[in-house]
């Protein structure tokens, strides 16, 4: 999730594979964006 700079609320959310996480973190660091990374919920209803 990308977080708003003022109040920290989520402004968008993206689900990515593990290989993409490094690229997203590097981009956020370069632009000064705040992000929140958490594992996706992988449970399924049966």
């Amino acid at each position: 999730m990308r977080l708003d700079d003022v109040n920290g609320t989520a402004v968008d959310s993206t689900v990515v594979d593990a290989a993409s996480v490094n690229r997203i973190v590097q981009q956020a660091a370069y632009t000064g964006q705040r992000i929140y990374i958490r594992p996706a919920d992988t449970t399924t209803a049966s």
Side-chain angles (χ1 to χ4, degrees), residues 3-44:
L3 304 177
D4 181 86
D5 288 336
V6 175
N7 60 16
T9 59
V11 293
D12 71 22
S13 178
T14 305
V15 177
V16 298
D17 60 6
S20 300
V21 172
N22 185 49
R23 179 183 53 80
I24 291 169
V25 169
Q26 292 297 323
Q27 180 184 15
Y30 179 76
T31 60
Q33 291 180 320
R34 294 171 34 189
I35 58 175
Y36 173 68
I37 300 171
R38 65 181 174 90
D41 182 11
T42 57
T43 59
T44 56

